[in-house]
Amino acid sequence: MLRKIRITLATVMFIAITWLFLDFTGTAHHWVSWSPKLQFLEALLAGNAIVVVVLSVLTLIFGRIYCSVICPLGIMQDIIGWFGKKAKKNRYSYSKAMSWLRYPLLALFIVAHVAGLAVVVQLLAPYSTFGIIATNLLQPVYVAGNNVLAAIAESADSFLFYHQDVWLRSVSSLVIAAVMLVILFVLAWRNGRTFCNTICPIGTLLSFLSRFSFLKIHFDKDKCRNCSLCSKNCKAACIDYKNHTVDYSRCVVCGNCIESCKFGALKYSRARGANKTHEAHEAHKPQAPVDSGRRSFLIGTALASTAVMAQKKEKMLDGGLAAIAERVIPERQTKLTPPGSLSAQHMAHNCTGCQLCVTECPNQVLRPSTDLLTLMQPVMSYERGYCRPECTRCSKVCPAGAIKPITPIDKSSIQIGHAVWIKQNCVAVNDDVPCGNCARHCPTGAIEMVPLDQDDADSPLIPAINENICIGCGACEHLCPGKDGQTAIMVEGHEVHKEI
């Protein structure tokens, strides 16, 4: 029963979080946006005391159920381990905890967070590791499958599905995601929960509490036949059947040991040993018939899908004069961070690099950073779209508080950067083509077209930027026709965001 309940709850949680990372329509956000906020590290960084206290209390009562029910990376390892178990049964064995590695890694994680070494935090944090894998490896497959269905639907004159671009956001993130997946796959296939009980800092942190949990798995020595099936089915390698002991700092309460024991020698309770008098009394009591309805835990999950109107991609034009060439990413002196992130420093210290905001961005503005110190944290660039003032989705999905929740009204007054004109790339100056695309599309009216030469009436009109009201949304940069993909106007970021 314990194992069935655990598998059911873990399935619901895993589907919810995975769907949130894969979905590009925004539907998942309305239904399961709560799931990332239950992650321990993210709740801690966001200052969500209620979630942190609840998870801590649950650990003190039930043990490390967080790792087997709530953490998506832990559940993913269970899925891999399940296939490994199918290939070879009774594949695990007891091993002593590698404390010489666990605690130094936890110390390294804490020091890295305090020092702002985001790349170390992201490579060790379980939720961000899952997010990197889901965003870079799973979502492209999901979108490609959607595009196949869209092509089939289109041939039948149906708009149930619509085409979505599959694009590579960052080569470095893709490589890191692939390496992480291979490492996790090998560890989980061969040894089950090695990552959770040796590398993961959250697992190590919760292990301090799980030692004192109210409910634990215990041996009944009188019933145990030392068959070793419990140890061979323990993916945490924490059951020493010879000495009838369980390492509660590593036990994730999966229930596999209880399920595999043929003699009923293991039970999940608060008592350390079996009460023989009570058991003898119970043995002589007439047994009630088994209620199969109570023994099975059934759950149904209804996933509602919404049909959206298909939108055909039109060729982007600069007001009807010329096609806009594919963009070249400009070199910015200061990187752009999303509205609500407050500052580059706040983003670096609070973001775990899970890339959920990157996945959720409907305008394809966010992508993983390639800088070493902020590797895989979100940065903004406007080659594929611009940051629309009415969109606040990234601030709503961030579980770690790196991007604070904002409203569209708040966003319209947050200055994340300012536009800068680049004369040598402007078609109005170099090609003698009247343009003004930047001024026409500026949502705040921060750009005005003025003569290049104030004394010449025939002088070409160029953009003049009022930095006091420019919010850095990038509409001007994205829609600038430029020359050879080089934009004539770009947005420089601000280290600290301003309110205008």
Side-chain angles (χ1 to χ4, degrees):
M1 189 61 167
L2 173 66
R3 184 170 177 269
K4 291 178 180 177
I5 293 175
R6 191 264 303 174
I7 291 176
T8 302
L9 296 176
T11 301
V12 172
M13 179 60 69
F14 188 76
I15 290 175
I17 292 183
T18 305
W19 183 32
L20 193 61
F21 274 101
L22 301 185
D23 179 58
F24 54 84
T25 65
T27 306
H29 169 70
H30 294 289
W31 293 93
V32 294
S33 59
W34 48 267
S35 52
K37 295 178 173 59
L38 297 180
Q39 304 306 310
F40 189 88
L41 175 62
E42 283 65 29
L44 194 63
L45 293 176
N48 194 337
I50 294 177
V51 173
V52 173
V53 170
V54 168
L55 292 177
S56 300
V57 171
L58 286 176
T59 305
L60 285 171
I61 296 175
F62 300 104
R64 278 176 54 185
I65 60 169
Y66 170 86
C67 301
S68 56
V69 173
I70 299 175
C71 176
L73 192 69
I75 301 170
M76 187 178 77
Q77 291 174 80
D78 285 348
I79 295 172
I80 297 171
W82 183 80
F83 284 105
K85 188 177 178 181
K86 286 291 182 182
K88 180 183 177 182
K89 294 183 178 180
N90 302 326
R91 63 186 303 119
Y92 306 125
S93 62
Y94 171 74
S95 63
K96 292 184 178 180
M98 290 189 282
S99 303
W100 58 271
L101 183 58
R102 293 175 75 188
Y103 301 123
L105 282 175
L106 175 61
L108 173 64
F109 180 83
I110 296 172
V111 171
H113 173 68
V114 173
L117 299 175
V119 62
V120 177
V121 174
Q122 292 152 18
L123 292 175
L124 294 177
Y127 173 70
S128 63
T129 299
F130 176 81
I132 292 167
I133 292 172
T135 300
N136 292 278
L137 300 178
L138 302 184
Q139 195 199 39
V141 176
Y142 179 84
V143 175
N146 167 84
N147 292 345
V148 172
L149 295 176
I152 297 173
E154 186 177 355
S155 65
D157 294 327
S158 171
F159 299 116
L160 182 62
F161 300 94
Y162 64 94
H163 186 274
Q164 179 77 5
D165 287 343
V166 181
W167 61 291
L168 180 62
R169 296 180 176 91
S170 168
V171 175
S172 58
S173 278
L174 179 64
V175 172
I176 290 171
V179 171
M180 283 180 169
L181 181 60
V182 170
I183 293 174
L184 285 168
F185 188 90
V186 172
L187 291 177
W189 182 277
R190 297 183 51 148
N191 304 306
R193 288 279 186 151
T194 300
F195 179 89
C196 295
N197 288 329
T198 305
I199 300 173
C200 177
I202 305 306
T204 303
L205 193 62
L206 292 176
S207 72
F208 292 111
L209 299 177
S210 63
R211 288 180 172 92
F212 308 102
S213 62
F214 182 73
L215 297 173
K216 295 175 180 175
I217 292 176
H218 300 287
F219 273 93
D220 184 339
K221 296 180 182 180
D222 294 335
K223 292 183 178 181
C224 181
R225 299 295 181 268
N226 290 339
C227 68
S228 78
L229 281 178
C230 55
S231 294
K232 290 178 178 179
N233 286 275
C234 177
K235 57 196 173 188
C238 66
I239 298 180
D240 182 0
Y241 75 94
K242 294 180 180 179
N243 297 308
H244 302 112
T245 58
V246 179
D247 183 352
Y248 300 117
S249 71
R250 291 185 289 160
C251 177
V252 293
V253 200
C254 66
N256 287 357
C257 55
I258 298 176
E259 186 86 6
S260 63
C261 182
K262 299 178 180 179
F263 307 104
L266 290 166
K267 65 178 182 178
Y268 182 58
S269 66
R270 67 184 181 89
R272 282 195 169 275
N275 189 322
K276 296 181 181 179
T277 304
H278 176 72
E279 286 188 350
H281 175 70
E282 291 294 323
H284 290 88
K285 287 179 63 177
Q287 296 296 316
V290 176
D291 184 353
S292 59
R294 296 180 61 184
R295 292 287 300 272
S296 1
F297 191 92
L298 303 176
I299 187 167
T301 306
L303 300 178
S305 60
T306 57
V308 293
M309 293 300 294
Q311 299 178 348
K312 292 185 178 180
K313 290 179 72 74
E314 303 266 345
K315 201 175 198 181
M316 196 185 308
L317 304 176
D318 68 337
L321 297 175
I324 296 177
E326 186 176 349
R327 284 277 168 259
V328 175
I329 301 177
E331 290 291 333
R332 309 181 202 275
Q333 293 183 358
T334 305
K335 301 295 182 183
L336 288 159
T337 58
S341 60
L342 306 180
S343 67
Q345 183 179 19
H346 179 268
M347 172 64 78
H349 277 83
N350 289 272
C351 178
T352 60
C354 73
Q355 300 187 23
L356 181 57
C357 57
V358 175
T359 300
E360 287 286 319
C361 180
N363 305 307
Q364 299 182 340
V365 168
L366 294 176
R367 69 236 17 225
S369 171
T370 56
D371 290 347
L372 183 60
L373 291 179
T374 59
L375 190 64
M376 294 177 289
Q377 291 187 345
V379 293
M380 304 174 71
S381 202
Y382 303 124
E383 293 76 53
R384 303 179 66 90
Y386 67 93
C387 193
R388 295 181 178 272
E390 72 276 8
C391 176
T392 58
R393 194 184 296 180
C394 63
S395 74
K396 292 178 180 177
V397 300
C398 178
I403 308 175
K404 299 293 185 182
I406 57 174
T407 65
I409 295 177
D410 296 331
K411 185 176 180 179
S412 64
S413 63
I414 297 175
Q415 188 181 62
I416 64 173
H418 65 275
V420 177
W421 180 56
I422 306 171
K423 181 179 179 181
Q424 62 267 26
N425 295 334
C426 187
V427 296
V429 175
N430 297 288
D431 298 339
D432 196 22
V433 177
C435 182
N437 225 26
C438 51
R440 283 195 299 273
H441 292 92
C442 178
T444 62
I447 300 176
E448 180 183 359
M449 301 305 292
V450 299
L452 177 63
D453 185 351
Q454 298 289 339
D455 300 324
D456 184 1
D458 297 326
S459 179
L461 296 179
I462 63 169
I465 302 154
N466 184 350
E467 294 184 7
N468 292 324
I469 60 174
C470 175
I471 60 175
C473 69
C476 56
E477 178 181 324
H478 174 60
L479 295 167
C480 173
K483 287 192 67 177
D484 301 324
Q486 300 279 351
T487 181
I489 194 165
M490 62 170 286
V491 179
E492 274 292 350
H494 289 170
E495 286 283 351
V496 179
H497 295 179
K498 304 175 184 177
E499 288 191 16
I500 58 174

